[in-house]
Amino acid sequence: YPEYRFDRGNLYAKLGRYPEAIADYEAAMRLTPPFPELYFNRGDARAATGDADGAISDFRYVLDLEPDDLEARISLASLLLDAGQPGAAVAEAMTGLEITPLEARLHTTLGLGLLEQSDHAAARQAFDRALELSPGQTEALVNRAVAAYEEGHYDAAVADLTSVLAADPGDPDLLFNRGLACEAAGRADEAVADYTEALRHTDADQAELLYRRGRAYLGLGQQAEADTDLRAHLALGSSSHEQEVSELLGTQPMALSTSTP
């Protein structure tokens, strides 16, 4: 009875018992002709156990069986991105958009692949379209900010990160990234405020935040505050910024970090 194997596999997966789920799915595969849900669910379980190649193979097979399966297309493209294959992820997203052109998640996935390929202008367009279809989508907003920053549109990056922070206030990574964008935009006072708020979180990168806040204080002409932060930065251990700290100046903004489905 392959249906019982399939159903038990689904229950194992919900319990996080992925090896047992995979064993049941594979038993069902030996007992029944192939159907998409069976391979999709094994792909999910394989991905959860770190078997990216196996999961990619399963999602590809699902799409062979059912080319318009949206979830398999998004899952496959996301895994390809994680595997360092942005070109393949872009191709999957574009194929999916030929079938479902109004799916915001596919536009976001396309944007992520283009961003990995450093095609920042095209990535921004993809994120723009995703946000037209699904306003407020966090992943699209954060990564559109990254693309805008890389293109030198710092105020636009600040605006997008501010929108995300309105829904998730206090996130130290978002505050750090907005601080970088504010610095690059010449808004050092706002950068200081963001770094200060991020420093309240003990799990944040204290050393990097102190370094960045010290730099922002320098931009405001607050030498004493800058010296305090830069000394505190060095006191936390070895630093890749030692030479820069000794010079106390620098104009090249750091890169914002990206986010994947």
Side-chain angles (χ1 to χ4, degrees), residues 3-210:
E3 295 87 354
Y4 296 161
R5 294 283 189 176
F6 178 67
D7 290 343
R8 189 173 68 174
N10 291 342
L11 290 170
Y12 277 138
K14 288 181 179 178
L15 292 168
R17 295 164 63 175
Y18 298 111
E20 292 157 290
I22 291 169
D24 268 345
Y25 293 143
E26 291 176 349
M29 288 171 185
R30 294 191 291 270
L31 297 168
T32 183
F35 61 95
E37 294 82 3
L38 180 55
Y39 285 84
F40 180 89
N41 289 8
R42 186 178 70 170
D44 261 353
R46 281 175 154 179
T49 62
D51 181 8
D53 289 340
I56 287 171
S57 176
D58 277 345
F59 293 134
R60 286 196 189 281
Y61 189 55
V62 172
L63 292 168
D64 287 342
L65 297 172
E66 201 165 277
D68 62 349
D69 190 308
L70 175 63
E71 298 306 321
R73 185 79 60 185
I74 292 172
S75 295
L76 174 57
S78 297
L79 282 171
L80 289 168
L81 278 173
D82 291 341
Q85 301 179 51
V90 166
E92 290 296 340
M94 292 182 72
T95 298
L97 286 168
E98 291 174 4
I99 301 168
T100 50
L102 300 181
E103 175 53 53
R105 290 177 297 163
L106 279 173
H107 286 284
T108 298
T109 303
L110 174 61
L112 289 169
L114 292 167
L115 195 58
E116 288 293 322
Q117 294 180 309
S118 298
D119 192 345
H120 303 121
R124 284 187 76 191
Q125 290 178 357
F127 295 134
D128 285 344
R129 184 62 177 140
L131 290 163
E132 287 172 9
L133 295 166
S134 180
Q137 188 190 111
T138 298
E139 191 171 28
L141 279 168
V142 169
N143 288 290
R144 187 172 70 174
V146 174
Y149 183 93
E150 294 296 340
E151 287 191 290
H153 302 302
Y154 303 125
D155 287 323
V158 171
D160 277 345
L161 292 168
T162 298
S163 295
V164 180
L165 280 161
D168 188 13
D171 182 291
D173 293 330
L174 292 174
L175 287 164
F176 177 77
N177 278 344
R178 189 173 68 175
L180 291 177
C182 285
E183 267 195 273
R187 296 157 62 174
D189 54 340
E190 294 172 67
V192 165
D194 278 344
Y195 297 143
T196 300
E197 181 62 28
L199 280 163
R200 300 182 196 280
H201 297 263
T202 57
D203 58 340
D205 188 340
Q206 301 287 312
E208 189 66 24
L209 283 163
L210 286 165

